[in-house]
Amino acid sequence: MAVLVTKECIGCGACEPVCPFGAIEMKDGKADITVACTQCGACIEVCPVGAIIREEEAKVELAIDKSAYKDVWVYIEVVEGKPKNVGLELLGEGRKLADAMGVKLAGVLIGDKVEGLSKDVFAAGADAVYLVEAPELAHYSTDGYTATFTDLIKTYKPSVILLGATNDGRDLGPRVACRVGTGLTADCTGLGIDEATGLVAWTRPAFGGNIMATILCPEHRPQMGTVRPSVFKRPEPDYSKKGEIIRVASKVKAADIRTKLVEIVRVCTVACNLEEAEIIVSGGRGLGKPENFCYIEDLATVLGGAVGASRAAVDAGWKPHMHQVGQTGKTVGPKIYFACGISGAIQHLAGMSSSDIIIAVNKDPDAPIFKMADYGIVGDLTEVLPILTEEFKKIKAG
Amino acid sequence: MEIIVCVKQVPDTTEVKIDPVTNTLIRQGVPSIVNPFDKNAIEAALQLKEAYGGKVTVLSMGPPQAKDALKECLAMGADAAILISDRAFGGSDTLATSYTLAAAIRKLGAYDIILYGKQAIDGDTAQVGPETAEHLGIAQVTYASKIEVTDSLATIEREHEEGYEVIEVKLPAVVTIIKTLNYEPRYPTVKGTMKANRAEIPVWTAADLTVKAERLGLTGSPTQVRKIFTPPRRVQGVLIQKDTAREAVADLLQRLSDAKIV
């Protein structure tokens, strides 16, 4: 497809500012679409004279028999012998896709001695588990896991693959997609089926969270995407559910893995396990100085929650990046999110807007964060937070 | 040490605003910048060069104006820059972009390490680095915050959700760099800026690369943007403004209790 300007263009310039990619220039009194165009079609809708059209290009014939690709797969990332929440969250979403497509849902378990986790995968809704176990696969490695995953795809031909957009998921996904020559939509926050085509419609934030884009992968298989953690709720486990374990022998040899994991340093405490937290207390530049993070930490401790930080607070060096919530940090979806001294820049909102309840504390009544908070307190953090902490302590004790 | 850094010119997404009436992106007045994470990668490259000697070459794929981004990298201290630009590359997704970059890197010849920022702030995909590594058939380490090299073995600290990993990899490899104090980008010197302004930046088109036309640009891109829209807004709730903090907290707790949240 290509987006073209026809000779009906009246040069009104209505299309120029709506292009999210700056790909329209006015040239000789007509709109000119430049190479930056991604065919999103935003300009087509605003053209008052219908002079911008989408032209179907001759399709390149691909040697892909799309009908051979069927099921929906979810990659189950395992850390320290436990499945990461995001894998289970995606089984819930994968179930919906598989049901809509009339196909099976399978979990992909790669590791060493991970068969026992199959019950969790079935309990979250999978019909089958593809299980690859080998000592070489005990820890994640780009080479070992890419080779294993690609081998599974080539043999069993899934139509759709969902991976968590974790650091390892975002390391593995592109490598696998590139090896099998398909598309990968990154960091999705919405999944559905495109009614017109029956394809998976992958929706994701772009431009720092300012816009959402829905992406399709029409001619290539499998359709792949990484999905941000905590966007979807984990399904209630039903351990009465059973499924089929498809055990596949590993072909990976130690020599195939070009990286060597020398050491794992875990500096994370409960306070920075943001993805799995039910309550998060986050602080921003409004705290005024790094020492004031103690108010955030005290409240988080009383509530048994995690500590988050805005990009501004992380950039200022007040908290390590591990605590950062937002488009370039972590995505979170707790039951309650406290935003304290956070103005509410769009890139922060992109990381926490799926929280159930948002409570904002800020001294500026015009802070954008109040526009999306369920409850907002206008006030001085150093006064409000200690009282809030004290009151929650009383509630807990009572 | 031959060091290649791939950079992208991006709109400064922190300056982008949404028109409240039309609900569309306002791009006017939004400056084009070097992707911030790519600047961390340039800094890492310059530090590697300072420690181990060699040359830093910067590559960018984009429209002609991306030369400005390359000049900024030269001003920071990179030795050479090449722009990869052709209408045929327009509409490339990550697979087509990485395919094109890999072809340019092959044309450059020998390399020890290829650096990327962890992701670009306009697309945030974090895919082009790993996919380039795959096209070139070399190893990758993503989310790096520190690189040390002994002979041709790199020891890399790789960030993960709960801390970091120490990974050894034999070069050549692709390494993507996070924002880190270790690689806080330096400011260009006056001399560097003057040199960069005078620099001629070669432009490579599709004809200069060994590539298959059907794998370039839109045609070579498996993913297609179906639609673009502004994110749904949450509805504003209650705003509590009281004379004292204690009253405000009491009011909040009452409301939370009424709503059975606490």
Side-chain angles (χ1 to χ4, degrees), chain B residues 67-86:
Chain B
K67 272 191 183 171
D68 296 343
L70 287 170
K71 291 211 165 176
E72 195 176 334
C73 301
L74 289 174
M76 282 175 73
D79 299 290
I82 296 161
L83 177 67
I84 305 154
S85 189
D86 196 313

Side-chain angles (χ1 to χ4, degrees), chain A residues 94 120 256:
Chain A
D120 299 311
D256 300 336

Side-chain angles (χ1 to χ4, degrees), chain A residues 33 171 212 214 311 355 376, chain B residues 14 87 123 142 226 229 234 240:
Chain A
I33 296 178
D171 185 272
M212 306 295 289
T214 300
R311 185 172 72 186
S355 307
Chain B
T14 57
R87 253 199 120 90
T142 50
R226 165 57 53 119
F229 56 99
R234 288 176 71 111
I240 302 164

Side-chain angles (χ1 to χ4, degrees), chain A residues 175 258, chain B residues 106 111 132-139:
Chain A
R175 196 86 200 205
R258 291 170 287 189
Chain B
R106 279 198 198 96
Y111 52 81
T132 309
E134 176 63 23
H135 286 298
L136 294 169
I138 61 175

